Structures are given as C-alpha cells and as structure tokens.
Amino acid sequence: MTFEQGMPTMIGTNAKVIKALETAKTLAKSNVPILVVGESGTGKKNLCQYISSLSSRGERPFFVVDCARDVSDVQNDILGHRDHEGKFHKGVLEKANGGVVVFSNIDALDESFQKKLYTILNELSDYEIDIRLMATTTKNLSKYVGAGRFYRGLYTFFSASQINLPPLRERKEDIPALTSFFTGKYSQEFSLGQVQIDQPVIDKLCNNYCTHNVRELEILLENALRNRQAGVLNVAALEAGERKQDIRNTDSEDDGFKLMTLRDAEKMLIKK
C-alpha cells in the first residue's frame, strides 16, 4: 500500500475509468477549462481535485461553487458581496487567484446569470486574475443548449475539454477493489484491525448494488463496519448496514470519491 500526499483516491481498472484518469493527467499539464460529466456519485468533484493535485496549482487555493443554490447566493460567492455592516467580502474568483475554481452542478445555474458569468470568465485576465476553471454536471448540456436552457457560449467555454465518468453499473469489475479499499479505510477509522471480507459479500454487492453509485457503496460499507467489533465482514453485517440508512434514496450531489482536505487526502490510497 502506497500513499501520495494531497491526491484523492481514484480506484479502478475499468477501461472508461482508466481513460478518464489518463485524460485528467494530460489536461493537468495545461490550463484549459474542463467539463466533468457523470451521474451523481461518480466522482466528478474529486476528479477535479485530482487534476488540480497533478498540476502546478496543487498547493494553491481550491474552491467549489455549488450552482444549484439561489442565484443571489451563487453570485455573492463568485463575485463577492457587502454584508449588512457594509464590509466587502471577496468572491472566490478573487480569493482563488493562482488556484482552481470548480462550478459544481453548472447545469443548475440560473439562466439569468449564465451569460454574465461567461462574460466575467472571459475577462479575468483584464483584472490580473489567474485561475484554473472547471465545471461539473450530471446533465447532457448540449441538449440543454438546444432547448434554450443553457447559454451556448458558457457551454462552449467548458466543453472543449470534457471528461466523462461512468456510473458504477458500467464498472462492475471495480466493485471488489472498491469494497476492499473502503473496508480498509473504515476498519482503520473504527480501530477494527484487519477485517476479512466474505466472498458472499462481494457477490451480493456485485449482483445487487452495481446500479448504485460509489458514494452509496461507501456509505453502505461504513454503516456495516461502524458497529463491528473485529474479524469478518459478512452478509449479515452488510444487511445491517443497509438498514441503518436507506442509501437507495440518496440523491445529493456529493461525489462518490469524497472531496477531501489535504490532511484527509494523505490517508487515502492511490490505486489504479
């Protein structure tokens, strides 16, 4: 087991995952905007962090703006705002100078702000702001453009360099490695020592859970291990973990590979 400081875990032997990682490594050498596309829980924001960690900006500020919130909050986060006492708070475009800004759920960005953001992003150099720009989405933005729901200029700005992440159901062969990794992670966190994984657990996960995402798989295994004393992860523990939380109804936009602080990332295994 080897560890690399500041790099999030990207696990997989699936051809689509490998292609995404190789593309990420190539793009890390440049400064072009990037669009990461994938279903909820596939690892989009963490892939952005992976790209950042491989680039010359790896130790620079890294900000994520959730575009799914109220447009006024999004604008305040991006451009800055004054509080009720008149004090001005810088936006992320200024605070992240030299670093990276990720626009998460960019498909949810209010239509009234899309063209304005496009203009702002194209004028950053005029204000001596140097940042790497990325965006994530679960949607087919080209269809949104065709339907008049997304500004074409903003789509073109990001989509020239696009990375697609497959859902777990399309990378079923990675479930054993992911299960092993998350079991190791939480057995260490819960001081369980070495935990053996029964083969029926792997079989059940591959047969019953391949339609769900990596985040849900991690939550399931965390719950299954949380109250274990030691020893073996068996089907009974897995089913008990599922009863603790209805992961099948998870619908948040957090990534399957969690966005981590550098301290958290130091603990994470880099495994291809």
Side-chain angles (χ1 to χ4, degrees), residues 9-14 17 21 41-43 46 166-187 197 201-202 205-206 209-210 212-222 225 233 238 255-258 268-272:
T9 307
M10 307 300 296
I11 300 172
T13 59
N14 174 270
V17 173
L21 294 178
T42 51
N46 211 41
L168 191 57
R169 64 180 176 276
E170 294 179 11
R171 47 181 298 210
K172 189 175 180 180
E173 66 271 33
D174 290 338
I175 290 178
L178 288 164
T179 301
S180 178
F181 174 78
F182 290 130
T183 298
K185 172 184 175 181
Y186 288 107
S187 62
I197 305 171
V201 169
I202 300 296
L205 290 173
C206 289
Y209 292 92
C210 63
H212 304 297
N213 59 47
V214 178
R215 181 185 62 249
E216 292 174 338
L217 177 64
E218 178 176 6
I219 292 171
L220 173 63
L221 292 169
E222 178 185 8
L225 291 164
L233 176 62
L238 193 70
D255 275 328
F257 297 103
K258 293 182 179 179
M268 303 298 282
L269 170 67
I270 306 301
K271 182 175 181 181
K272 285 188 179 181

Side-chain angles (χ1 to χ4, degrees), residues 21-240:
L21 294 178
E22 291 302 320
T23 302
K25 291 177 182 178
T26 300
L27 292 174
K29 301 173 184 178
S30 71
N31 200 42
V32 297
I34 298 173
L35 179 66
V36 182
V37 182
E39 295 179 12
S40 177
T42 51
K44 297 181 295 300
K45 291 196 294 290
N46 211 41
L47 183 65
C48 292
Q49 189 185 21
Y50 180 69
I51 294 170
S52 175
S53 71
L54 293 177
S55 75
S56 59
R57 302 174 188 266
E59 299 300 322
R60 304 293 295 173
F62 184 94
F63 287 90
V64 178
V65 178
D66 183 3
C67 299
R69 295 170 301 133
D70 182 82
V71 64
S72 61
D73 292 332
V74 174
Q75 290 190 73
N76 287 343
D77 279 355
I78 295 173
L79 304 178
H81 66 283
R82 293 190 182 278
D83 60 25
H84 64 281
E85 296 178 350
K87 181 180 179 180
F88 183 75
H89 298 266
K90 294 180 180 179
V92 297
L93 294 182
E94 189 173 357
K95 291 190 290 186
N97 201 2
V100 176
V101 173
V102 178
F103 297 97
S104 176
N105 305 300
I106 197 167
D107 53 277
L109 189 67
D110 193 277
E111 293 178 34
S112 65
F113 187 57
Q114 292 173 9
K115 185 174 182 179
K116 182 178 181 180
L117 179 62
Y118 170 73
T119 301
I120 291 168
L121 297 182
N122 276 287
E123 295 177 350
L124 290 177
S125 59
D126 295 342
Y127 298 94
E128 299 184 344
I129 294 178
D130 171 32
I131 52 178
R132 179 72 182 268
L133 297 165
M134 307 185 203
T136 72
T137 183
T138 61
K139 309 299 183 184
N140 185 331
L141 286 185
S142 63
K143 290 185 177 180
Y144 271 44
V145 170
R149 298 175 58 187
F150 198 83
Y151 182 60
R152 182 177 297 276
L154 188 60
Y155 169 67
T156 303
F157 181 88
F158 281 106
S159 64
S161 297
Q162 179 172 315
I163 302 177
N164 297 304
L165 286 176
L168 191 57
R169 64 180 176 276
E170 294 179 11
R171 47 181 298 210
K172 189 175 180 180
E173 66 271 33
D174 290 338
I175 290 178
L178 288 164
T179 301
S180 178
F181 174 78
F182 290 130
T183 298
K185 172 184 175 181
Y186 288 107
S187 62
Q188 181 178 6
E189 182 174 324
F190 301 146
S191 300
L192 298 177
Q194 186 172 358
V195 174
Q196 177 184 342
I197 305 171
D198 275 358
Q199 184 58 43
V201 169
I202 300 296
D203 296 339
K204 183 176 179 64
L205 290 173
C206 289
N207 292 330
N208 295 357
Y209 292 92
C210 63
T211 58
H212 304 297
N213 59 47
V214 178
R215 181 185 62 249
E216 292 174 338
L217 177 64
E218 178 176 6
I219 292 171
L220 173 63
L221 292 169
E222 178 185 8
N223 286 339
L225 291 164
R226 184 176 296 278
N227 294 322
R228 301 294 294 171
Q229 297 302 313
V232 178
L233 176 62
N234 53 30
V235 171
L238 193 70
E239 292 175 344

